[in-house]
Amino acid sequence: MIMNRKLIHIEGLVILILMLVLYNYINYNWWLFIVLLLVPDLSMLGYIINTRIGAVIYNMFHTYVFTVGLAIIAITINHELLLAVSIIFTAHIGMDRTLGYGLKYPSGFKDTHMQRI
């Protein structure tokens, strides 16, 4: 279990670094990166409804499937801003995994797939 957790931390760091490099490569505004980096955490507001719905909403915005889907759409329609947002959100997920924050279980906000916070 500890080894798996370390791998997730390392994976998150690699994703974070790759997204920073990619964002720099597309040469988009860094002020946007700074402003939007923590926006996915607004999904925590779902917990106001209840823990089950909160976990679903939070997890939806903290999975690579969501951000890769955004990137595919952005590339398909040639939308530079949407591509930048997908990179920023992916960087956020990588940052979270690096710090030990994981997907949430419906039992409570502090119960994650990585550890109990």
Side-chain angles (χ1 to χ4, degrees), residues 19-116:
M19 291 305 105
L20 290 169
V21 169
L22 184 57
Y23 195 82
N24 189 57
Y25 178 77
I26 68 167
N27 201 26
Y28 214 76
N29 297 318
W30 281 100
W31 63 265
L32 183 69
F33 190 95
I34 293 165
V35 168
L36 294 182
L37 185 60
L38 297 178
V39 165
D41 283 340
L42 292 175
S43 62
M44 284 186 259
L45 294 175
Y47 280 90
I48 293 171
I49 300 168
N50 66 43
T51 56
R52 188 182 61 77
I53 291 173
V56 168
I57 293 170
Y58 182 90
N59 290 343
M60 188 173 69
F61 285 94
H62 285 82
T63 61
Y64 295 119
V65 172
F66 173 71
T67 59
V68 169
L70 280 180
I72 291 169
I73 292 168
I75 292 167
T76 302
I77 65 173
N78 196 26
H79 198 284
E80 196 174 280
L81 177 60
L82 188 58
L83 180 60
V85 169
S86 69
I87 293 169
I88 295 165
F89 283 17
T90 304
H92 173 89
I93 296 168
M95 179 182 68
D96 273 5
R97 299 296 187 277
T98 301
L99 297 173
Y101 300 111
L103 298 174
K104 307 299 182 189
Y105 289 122
S107 57
F109 185 77
K110 294 184 177 190
D111 296 330
T112 75
H113 83 285
M114 291 182 67
Q115 64 189 350
R116 178 153 172 78

Side-chain angles (χ1 to χ4, degrees), residues 3-15:
M3 182 60 169
N4 291 339
R5 209 175 312 143
K6 286 182 182 182
L7 285 174
I8 294 172
H9 287 287
I10 293 168
E11 175 191 57
L13 182 60
V14 168
I15 292 292

